[in-house]
Amino acid sequence: MMRRLKTLFAAALLLASAAASAHRFHAGMTDVSFNARTGNTEIVHTYMAHDIEALLANLYGRQFDLNDEEDQDALRKYVENRFWIAGQDKAKLNLRWVGMTADAEKVTVFQEIEQTPLWKAGAIHDTVLIDFIAEQVNTVNLNEGNVVRTLTFDRNHQEQPTR
């Protein structure tokens, strides 16, 4: 009986430590690509749901339901203030909010730049969650045909040229 208790206790400790270490990194992933069919550059951001929920709760002092349109608007404003693409003339390009989805694991945000090919981009600024979580690292993949370039953003690298 004692051996069985020790085994159960060890298993419980293992599960607890796995849960505690399950989220030791904070990362966002953004894919930027040109859609030749529509003529638009499409941006898809993916973040960990609990990081977004913690951010919004911290900013607004309440729980959020990202299936609610009003709560989505708070996230939209946050993202739009922290992620932008500048043209080669350094002026911000007009990113249009397309929408978002959220589930228990991830939040996905969709934006686009209408009638603008990706090559017109000169720089990307990305501080989404970086201003909230010191360890946050955001990866942006620029998909141009057969070439994918990857930019990495953190507290020390918040804006980078696209070329």
Side-chain angles (χ1 to χ4, degrees):
M1 180 68 164
M2 188 61 141
R3 183 176 179 165
R4 186 173 189 172
L5 282 174
K6 285 182 182 180
T7 303
L8 285 172
F9 182 71
L13 280 176
L14 182 62
L15 286 173
S17 68
S21 68
H23 192 62
R24 288 193 179 186
F25 68 96
H26 300 276
M29 178 69 69
T30 299
D31 289 306
V32 181
S33 59
F34 179 69
N35 183 329
R37 186 180 57 75
T38 64
N40 299 339
T41 292
E42 299 173 344
I43 300 111
V44 180
H45 308 273
T46 305
Y47 303 102
M48 295 178 190
H50 46 84
D51 288 342
I52 294 291
E53 291 164 359
L55 166 82
L56 294 172
N58 184 62
L59 287 174
Y60 296 97
R62 66 178 180 86
Q63 293 299 310
F64 275 72
D65 176 3
L66 290 175
N67 292 310
D68 178 84
E69 196 171 311
E70 207 171 287
D71 287 353
Q72 287 180 11
D73 192 50
L75 179 60
R76 179 187 61 79
K77 289 175 185 172
Y78 174 82
V79 170
E80 288 177 346
N81 284 322
R82 285 161 184 82
F83 180 90
W84 65 79
I85 299 176
Q88 294 176 0
D89 62 356
K90 298 191 181 357
K92 287 183 187 179
L93 298 175
N94 185 28
L95 274 70
R96 186 175 75 83
W97 182 267
V98 175
M100 61 156 291
T101 62
D103 61 32
E105 294 181 17
K106 68 183 182 301
V107 174
T108 305
V109 171
F110 304 93
Q111 295 176 298
E112 67 182 2
I113 307 169
E114 294 179 334
Q115 300 303 301
T116 303
L118 184 53
W119 63 264
K120 287 191 175 183
I124 294 178
H125 177 93
D126 187 353
T127 58
V128 176
L129 290 168
I130 291 171
D131 59 341
F132 177 63
I133 301 170
E135 302 82 22
Q136 179 74 22
V137 175
N138 294 333
T139 301
V140 175
N141 293 316
L142 301 170
N143 301 296
E144 292 187 274
N146 296 337
V147 177
V148 177
R149 283 176 292 127
T150 300
L151 305 175
T152 303
F153 296 82
D154 58 24
R155 285 201 182 257
N156 298 316
H157 303 92
Q158 298 181 1
E159 190 163 320
Q160 297 184 46
T162 58
R163 307 249 175 250

